[in-house]
Amino acid sequence: MKILHFGDIHFWHKQLDLSDCLYPKRWLGVVNLSLRRYRKFPPELAHRIAKEVSESDADVVVFSGDMSTMSLNADFDVAAKAFAPIHEKWGDRFFVIPGNHDRYTPGSVKQQRYEQYFPYGVLDGPDRLVTRRDLDDNLTLVGVDCSEPFAIRSNGIVRERTALALDAVLQAANDDGRTVILVGHFPYDTPPDQQETWSHGLLQADRLSHVIATHNPIAYLHGHKHARWAITPDSTPNTLCINCGSAGMQSASIHKQAGYVTFTVENRTVQDVTGWHFDADSATMATHAVPTRTAQSS
């Protein structure tokens, strides 16, 4: 089974949402977008990658969050239209969860903007923090949402209730004898050259790694850090953590340039992890090796 994993496409619009105009993140987001982010995330590149994904031959497509930049209705609208051909082609085999940019402010969360534009990405498990989808070939995808608004930071957090909900869903999947791939937005461990900062990392990440170590999904798919890699952390030696990088960012590094990751699942193992990036010179997608490390401590 071939799986395509992408995320962090970050469709954007230069707007100030008056419904949240007093929330600090609104102003910080507009300033950041106006000064630097708009150059790093050209909209035409995001649309190109979405088109490439829609034309792929994958059996399953996974999006690990951050379709928007500031949770604006305009962001979600263009993302939903760009993703429509993917959803039409794969249906339930297109698996979507939100990221921190899709939970940007309390107002956008209260209005359920993500859920309105991506009803097929609604988490329907306990407290809507976790979701489970059983596919054929004995494969189960489990999604967990650790995203919530922070006034000035870009953190995620693993609340105790989130860990408990995830533990229950993974236990049920294991009891059913399923091969499980877990999908989240945030890494709980990183390579040495990709260390998280205090304002960007996953808070209470040990709760997530503990649940993963208990139930041993074969892979944990995530994004958030805009670089592709695959690591097996010391804390979860039976789970390969794959970062898809960004699907919308412009970069001189092939590991950070807009693209995605593909891999296959055979006999309950992950094989053939391959990075893909948009090559501007040839205007085509090109492959590259994904940096892989084992037993990497945080």
Side-chain angles (χ1 to χ4, degrees):
M1 175 180 289
K2 182 177 179 180
I3 297 176
L4 187 153
H5 170 212
F6 76 123
D8 293 88
I9 199 164
H10 290 298
F11 288 104
W12 56 264
H13 290 80
K14 289 184 179 181
Q15 295 179 4
L16 183 62
D17 190 333
L18 296 180
S19 68
D20 264 330
C21 65
L22 297 181
Y23 195 68
K25 199 70 167 285
R26 274 280 171 243
W27 295 96
L28 292 171
V30 171
V31 171
N32 183 33
L33 178 61
S34 300
L35 292 180
R36 56 189 293 272
R37 183 175 279 269
Y38 81 95
R39 293 191 186 95
K40 292 177 66 176
F41 290 89
E44 62 273 12
L45 196 52
H47 283 285
R48 177 60 186 260
I49 298 302
K51 183 175 184 294
E52 292 288 343
V53 170
S54 71
E55 295 175 351
S56 78
D57 62 352
D59 299 302
V60 177
V61 176
V62 173
F63 184 84
S64 56
D66 279 1
M67 60 276 292
S68 77
T69 294
M70 293 187 292
S71 290
L72 298 172
N73 283 317
D75 293 356
F76 285 129
D77 182 62
V78 70
K81 290 175 180 175
F83 285 8
I86 304 172
H87 184 235
E88 181 178 355
K89 181 175 179 178
W90 277 277
D92 285 344
R93 301 174 80 85
F94 180 34
F95 190 79
V96 175
I97 66 164
N100 61 297
H101 281 264
D102 309 316
R103 306 292 199 202
Y104 206 66
T105 66
S108 63
V109 173
K110 184 177 181 180
Q111 294 173 32
Q112 296 190 326
R113 292 182 182 177
Y114 164 81
E115 288 80 3
Q116 290 177 30
Y117 286 93
F118 294 92
Y120 54 85
V122 172
L123 288 84
D124 54 5
D127 295 324
R128 293 200 168 185
L129 297 169
V130 183
T131 191
R132 170 181 171 174
R133 188 171 303 170
D134 292 341
L135 305 178
D136 54 11
D137 302 314
N138 201 47
L139 181 66
T140 289
L141 300 176
V142 174
V144 59
D145 183 7
C146 298
S147 299
E148 59 183 71
F150 282 83
I152 60 173
R153 300 186 296 173
S154 299
N155 299 103
I157 185 167
V158 187
R159 302 285 185 187
E160 184 176 7
R161 64 180 183 274
T162 306
L164 291 172
L166 179 59
D167 180 77
V169 171
L170 289 177
Q171 182 63 58
N174 282 348
D175 290 345
D176 292 340
R178 307 288 297 183
T179 298
V180 177
I181 291 177
L182 177 62
V183 184
H185 180 65
F186 300 88
Y188 60 89
D189 205 346
T190 61
D193 60 342
Q194 296 287 341
Q195 292 297 298
E196 283 287 18
T197 62
W198 70 274
S199 63
H200 200 252
L202 179 62
L203 306 179
Q204 302 295 336
D206 58 319
R207 287 175 174 164
L208 178 58
S209 62
H210 175 74
V211 173
I212 291 175
T214 300
H215 299 289
N216 298 312
I218 63 169
Y220 174 63
L221 309 184
H222 68 85
H224 192 56
K225 294 286 284 186
H226 298 153
R228 283 175 278 280
W229 71 64
I231 63 172
T232 305
D234 287 339
S235 61
T236 57
N238 297 311
T239 300
L240 181 65
C241 298
I242 301 176
N243 186 344
C244 62
S246 172
M249 190 170 79
Q250 188 168 258
S251 175
S253 168
I254 59 174
H255 303 295
K256 297 181 178 181
Q257 171 68 358
Y260 47 81
V261 167
T262 61
F263 61 92
T264 59
V265 176
E266 299 290 342
N267 299 318
R268 294 180 179 253
T269 61
V270 175
Q271 303 174 13
D272 304 320
V273 180
T274 303
W276 294 78
H277 67 279
F278 180 73
D279 183 83
D281 293 333
S282 64
T284 60
M285 298 300 292
T287 61
H288 60 269
V290 175
T292 304
R293 300 176 178 88
T294 58
Q296 195 66 62
S297 299
S298 57

